[in-house]
Amino acid sequence: MKVSAESKKKAQIQIRELQSEIKFDTRDLPAAYLAAKYREKSYFKPAYQREVVWGTDRKCRFVESLLLRYPIPMLFLAESENDGKLEIVDGLQRISTIDYFLNDELTLSGLKKLTLLNGFRFSDLSITDRNRLEDQALRVTVLDRDTSEIVKIDLFDRINTSSLKLEDAEVRAGAYGLNPMMQLIINLSDDPKFIEFTQLSQKRLARKENTELLSRFFAFSYNYKGFSHSVKDFINDFITIQGEDSKWDNKQKESKQTEKYTSELFSTISFIKENYPENVFKGPSGLFSRLRFEAIMVGTNLAIKKTNGSLEGNSQAIQKMLNSDKFQSLTLSGGANSKPKVQERIEFVRNTLLEASK
């Protein structure tokens, strides 16, 4: 297809317009300066950023790269509007690692090249190496304070979908950070009652597994029959549609939406706590199972809604269902996200509860 001269002109105008949305300057900042600013919270983590999730191996490998003077990817910060502080758009893992090491909160281990430094902390280095590391400059791009939140979130999303793979929930929290449905899911997933209910480990919470689970709960509860094969795309579409401005554009609508979803979640949790055995989301291996969570949470929610909130609990029938070969088969990982299997496991739980409630 040949592109017309008019299309080329329009494309050029669009490029110029969108380029003008980003103003920035580039600085070389010493490692010690970055660490100090982070420790005093002058450089802070915004809501769309993930938590500090690097394990010891990755932290130590990064410090080894610094000591070897390897090139380090650019950091991205952004001026906040009022207080002069800088939010960390990209680089939290690296900046926090530098802070930990310079403050003797990280002991080097597993180094492949500087093997003689295994077991060292920062204070164990020679004075020369300590000074060099503290003075080592890292290249930083600082976005102007007028840069919109949408642009910053877009930058975060682009960086983190082209480098180290984030969990779907982490990318989604950034890419859909301004979506009211996503904001509600994040708030509810951080509710202490939900966290206590799921009993997720701190490691899984740090990777926003709680947010992923709640996203799945709402998406499947409202449109499990519309699922095809990609859980990621299915959830993204749900959040986009449910977060449309027309559904949240005034306080009354926002309050109604919040009440609806909050009530559904906690009525489901209440029923499960009263009628299901403890640790019901753990599979035969003793580990938390997303598939069991989806089947039980969504199936129970649908049964509650089908009876207009008057679902009767039957612990004996529920235990029989959980012990059945069919439930075990439907919640195993093989072919777990095929459309028939998703529908069957949700409906199996729902129908069992409705039959037992008669």
Side-chain angles (χ1 to χ4, degrees):
M1 181 184 74
K2 187 174 181 179
V3 179
S4 67
E6 183 179 358
S7 294
K8 291 180 180 179
K9 185 177 180 180
K10 288 181 178 179
Q12 186 178 32
I13 293 172
Q14 184 184 49
I15 291 171
R16 298 293 179 268
E17 288 176 346
L18 294 180
Q19 282 177 337
S20 67
E21 292 184 5
I22 302 180
K23 297 178 182 178
F24 62 90
D25 66 84
T26 303
R27 310 169 188 176
D28 291 320
L29 300 179
Y33 180 84
L34 289 167
K37 287 292 186 181
Y38 175 74
R39 181 147 293 234
E40 69 184 29
K41 296 184 172 22
S42 291
Y43 292 176
F44 65 94
K45 181 189 80 67
Y48 57 81
Q49 252 282 18
R50 56 178 171 168
E51 303 294 334
V52 175
V53 296
W54 273 7
T56 300
D57 289 348
R58 296 206 65 186
K59 291 175 183 176
C60 292
R61 184 175 175 84
F62 177 66
V63 172
E64 184 179 41
S65 297
L66 290 173
L67 291 169
L68 291 170
R69 302 246 165 176
Y70 285 177
I72 303 301
M74 186 177 293
L75 307 170
F76 287 85
L77 308 178
E79 296 177 342
S80 53
E81 291 186 11
N82 301 316
D83 55 14
K85 295 182 178 181
L86 299 182
E87 61 182 79
I88 304 171
V89 177
D90 186 68
L92 176 64
Q93 310 304 317
R94 285 165 284 166
I95 293 174
S96 61
T97 296
I98 293 170
D99 170 60
Y100 295 150
F101 187 63
L102 295 188
N103 285 283
D104 267 358
E105 296 173 6
L106 175 66
T107 301
L108 297 177
S109 62
L111 302 188
K112 303 300 183 184
K113 290 186 176 293
L114 299 176
T115 54
L116 297 180
L117 293 186
N118 285 318
F120 275 50
R121 293 182 299 172
F122 176 70
S123 59
D124 297 317
L125 298 174
S126 68
I127 185 64
T128 300
D129 289 327
R130 293 202 302 271
N131 287 337
R132 283 177 176 170
L133 184 57
E134 288 180 329
D135 293 339
Q136 185 166 338
L138 283 80
R139 182 60 57 92
V140 180
T141 289
V142 180
L143 304 176
D144 186 85
R145 71 186 63 184
D146 293 327
T147 303
S148 71
E149 194 76 0
I150 293 175
V151 170
K152 286 185 283 188
I153 290 172
D154 184 47
L155 176 61
F156 173 82
D157 182 40
R158 289 171 184 271
I159 291 171
N160 288 294
T161 53
S162 60
S163 54
L164 174 67
K165 188 181 185 302
L166 294 166
E167 295 293 340
D168 290 342
E170 293 177 300
V171 174
R172 197 177 292 120
Y176 294 84
L178 299 180
N179 181 297
M181 186 67 214
M182 187 73 249
Q183 291 173 348
L184 177 61
I185 288 173
I186 291 171
N187 290 338
L188 289 175
S189 69
D190 287 338
D191 189 296
K193 295 190 291 294
F194 181 70
I195 292 175
E196 186 273 335
F197 174 67
T198 59
Q199 297 184 330
L200 292 170
S201 67
Q202 287 301 313
K203 182 177 180 180
R204 296 188 77 168
L205 288 173
R207 300 308 304 270
K208 299 188 183 297
E209 178 68 8
N210 51 325
T211 306
E212 177 68 19
L213 292 175
L214 203 52
S215 299
R216 289 171 177 238
F217 168 68
F218 285 129
F220 283 122
S221 288
Y222 277 82
N223 190 30
Y224 75 93
K225 290 185 177 179
F227 174 77
S228 54
H229 65 281
S230 170
V231 176
K232 176 183 176 181
D233 293 340
F234 176 70
I235 294 175
N236 288 348
D237 290 344
F238 169 79
I239 291 172
T240 298
I241 294 170
Q242 296 301 318
E244 289 175 352
D245 289 343
S246 61
K247 299 179 180 180
W248 305 78
D249 57 7
N250 61 53
K251 288 293 183 182
Q252 184 177 1
K253 288 182 179 180
E254 181 179 352
S255 177
K256 186 176 181 180
Q257 290 286 83
T258 300
E259 182 181 354
K260 178 181 71 172
Y261 289 113
T262 303
S263 176
E264 277 193 38
L265 171 63
F266 288 108
S267 63
T268 302
I269 288 176
S270 179
F271 184 92
I272 290 173
K273 291 176 75 171
E274 291 176 8
N275 297 284
Y276 283 73
E278 291 185 359
N279 301 317
V280 69
F281 301 133
K282 291 185 178 180
S285 65
L287 299 177
F288 187 97
S289 166
R290 279 183 177 179
L291 302 183
R292 290 175 70 97
F293 179 89
E294 289 171 11
I296 292 168
M297 285 289 290
V298 177
T300 301
N301 183 31
L302 294 179
I304 291 172
K305 291 200 288 187
K306 184 74 172 178
T307 59
N308 295 315
S310 61
L311 182 69
E312 293 288 333
N314 187 326
S315 298
Q316 187 175 358
I318 289 172
Q319 188 64 63
K320 184 178 179 181
M321 174 191 72
L322 296 174
N323 292 338
S324 69
D325 291 340
K326 184 172 183 179
F327 181 80
Q328 298 297 330
S329 174
L330 290 172
T331 54
L332 292 176
S333 58
N337 289 329
S338 67
K339 183 173 182 177
K341 206 162 188 178
V342 168
Q343 292 191 16
E344 191 175 3
R345 64 171 172 260
I346 290 172
E347 292 175 353
F348 179 63
V349 173
R350 181 200 63 188
N351 294 341
T352 298
L353 294 176
L354 291 174
E355 184 66 28
S357 181
K358 290 180 179 178

